[in-house]
């Protein structure tokens, strides 16, 4: 299971943040060559990010580079960054599957023989991108996640961006559904008020409730709150263990009818329980010796 509860943006032109990204605890760090970097600083930022990929220990955090859009500096970014072996490239403002095909071809031309394939994460930030989510999600085997950028989306939509997020409910749901249909992950938009931790907790809980697997993050102080909401609760872990135990007992007894606390257990429930156990193990809330 690839863990992307938090994906933390770091400016590609900030040597201090690039150097310390591995100690912040995010599941993924996003070394940003796009919005955080002015056109005059693009070359210098590419050099800094390439050096960081080669020499900085990110202590298990996934290393993602947000490149510029295809109509600006994407080709130069890919040529400079892919040989430095990032885990993934985040492609901004994706609006159709053809853009993913183009990025895929540019990556393939740049990878050296034997290099681990570079993954792609599509950042969806426009109404057209939302409308095309499913074809985008199916565009490449390299594509591992759809991420949502609500600020650009609502600006294009002409809607007011609010903390409550009613204006993005439809877009969030469409993106989550498309990602699930394509069997890839969905990553939610950042919560931009870095001083409102209660608001962040509510927003993250809602994202988890509707199916997101993680959240874009703009400040290291948001990491713990987001992790806490995306981690399975203790009662969820206990329930999942009970479901798995009931399944095992039914197998021993040769019973085809399985129930737990008066409720029938079917395949979707088992699948949900297995995912909960898997996530609990992955984040260290459950070890083999503690499961009995």
């Amino acid at each position: 299971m690839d863990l992307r509860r938090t994906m933390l943006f770091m400016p590609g032109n900030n040597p201090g943040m690039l150097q310390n990204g591995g100690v912040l605890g995010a599941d993924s760090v996003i070394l940003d060559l796009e919005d955080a970097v002015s056109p005059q600083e693009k070359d210098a930022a590419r050099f800094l990010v390439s050096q960081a990929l080669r020499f900085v220990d990110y202590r298990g955090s996934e290393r993602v580079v947000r490149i510029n859009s295809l109509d600006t500096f994407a080709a130069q970014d890919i040529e400079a960054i892919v040989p430095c072996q990032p885990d993934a490239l985040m492609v901004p403002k994706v609006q159709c599957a053809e853009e993913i095909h183009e990025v895929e071809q540019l990556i393939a031309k740049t990878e050296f023989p034997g290099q681990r394939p570079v993954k792609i994460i599509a950042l969806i930030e426009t109404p057209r991108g939302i409308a095309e989510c499913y074809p985008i999600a199916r565009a490449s085997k390299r594509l591992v996640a759809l991420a949502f950028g609500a600020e650009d989306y609502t600006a294009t939509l002409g809607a007011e961006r609010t903390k409550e997020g009613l204006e993005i409910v439809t877009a969030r749901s469409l993106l989550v559904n498309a990602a699930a249909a394509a069997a890839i992950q969905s990553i939610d938009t950042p919560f931009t008020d870095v001083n409102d931790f209660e608001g962040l907790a509510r927003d993250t809980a809602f994202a988890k409730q509707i199916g997101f697997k993680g959240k874009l993050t703009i400040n290291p102080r948001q990491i713990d709150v987001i992790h806490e909401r995306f981690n399975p609760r203790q009662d969820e872990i206990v329930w999942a263990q009970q479901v798995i135990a009931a399944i095992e007992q039914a197998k021993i007894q040769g019973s085809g009818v399985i129930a737990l606390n008066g409720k029938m257990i079917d395949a979707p429930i088992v699948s949900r329980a297995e995912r909960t156990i898997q996530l609990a193990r992955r984040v260290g809330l459950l070890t083999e010796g503690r499961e009995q």
Side-chain angles (χ1 to χ4, degrees):
M1 171 185 285
D2 291 326
L3 207 55
R4 298 189 179 92
R5 296 167 299 174
T6 47
M7 302 188 71
L8 175 66
F9 283 105
M10 295 189 297
N13 58 352
N14 186 322
M17 288 201 69
L18 295 177
Q19 182 72 32
N20 295 320
V23 302
L24 301 174
D27 292 332
S28 304
V29 291
I30 304 172
L31 317 183
D32 190 13
L33 294 174
E34 198 213 14
D35 285 348
V37 181
S38 69
Q40 295 77 17
E41 295 180 296
K42 298 290 186 187
D43 289 339
R46 279 190 208 103
F47 177 76
L48 286 174
V49 169
S50 65
Q51 294 302 297
L53 290 169
R54 292 183 189 279
F55 300 114
V56 174
D57 180 4
Y58 284 99
R59 303 187 185 187
S61 294
E62 181 184 43
R63 305 170 312 153
V64 180
V65 177
R66 180 164 72 168
I67 61 174
N68 289 278
S69 58
L70 278 167
D71 59 351
T72 58
F73 306 101
Q76 296 98 308
D77 294 340
I78 291 171
E79 183 178 5
I81 297 302
V82 167
C84 302
Q85 305 185 68
D87 296 305
L89 298 184
M90 174 174 281
V91 185
K93 300 179 178 61
V94 177
Q95 301 204 85
C96 62
E98 287 72 22
E99 294 179 27
I100 298 299
H101 295 158
E102 187 173 345
V103 170
E104 185 177 39
Q105 291 172 5
L106 290 170
I107 292 174
K109 288 180 182 176
T110 314
E111 285 175 334
F112 58 78
Q115 178 175 347
R116 186 174 58 183
V118 176
K119 302 169 187 173
I120 299 173
I121 296 171
L123 183 55
I124 309 297
E125 305 175 85
T126 67
R128 183 185 171 193
I130 290 295
E132 296 287 330
C133 266
Y134 184 61
I136 292 170
R138 298 268 297 169
S140 170
K141 291 183 179 179
R142 292 178 185 264
L143 195 72
V144 295
L146 298 181
F148 180 41
E151 304 307 317
D152 284 332
Y153 170 76
T154 50
T156 306
L157 203 63
E160 181 184 359
R161 184 74 174 97
T162 67
K163 285 187 179 181
E164 293 74 20
L166 291 176
E167 68 281 0
I168 59 172
V169 167
T170 299
R172 277 171 150 172
S173 299
L174 289 170
L175 187 144
V176 166
N177 188 75
I184 63 174
Q185 291 183 334
S186 50
I187 309 299
D188 192 29
T189 190
F191 187 79
T192 56
D193 187 340
V194 297
N195 294 315
D196 182 2
F197 294 104
E198 290 185 2
L200 173 63
R202 285 194 300 271
D203 194 58
T204 305
F206 178 73
K208 177 183 176 182
Q209 181 182 2
I210 64 173
F212 280 103
K213 302 302 181 290
K215 195 166 182 63
L216 299 175
T217 312
I218 57 173
N219 190 294
R221 294 189 298 146
Q222 297 180 317
I223 291 173
D224 288 344
V225 174
I226 297 173
H227 282 182
E228 183 179 350
R229 291 303 180 276
F230 274 109
N231 287 346
R233 301 186 308 271
Q234 187 60 35
D235 63 303
E236 293 174 321
I237 296 172
V238 171
W239 170 83
Q241 290 176 308
Q242 291 174 341
V243 169
I244 300 302
I247 291 292
E248 295 300 322
Q249 186 64 30
K251 288 179 181 176
I252 293 172
Q253 296 174 346
S255 173
V257 179
I258 309 164
L260 177 65
N261 300 327
K263 296 182 179 178
M264 299 300 296
I265 300 175
D266 54 14
I269 290 178
V270 175
S271 178
R272 181 183 301 172
E274 289 174 340
R275 286 198 303 271
T276 299
I277 295 290
Q278 189 179 16
L279 179 57
R281 287 173 176 161
R282 185 73 172 76
V283 301
L285 295 176
L286 201 57
T287 60
E288 296 290 339
R290 294 172 54 197
E291 292 184 24
Q292 303 300 322

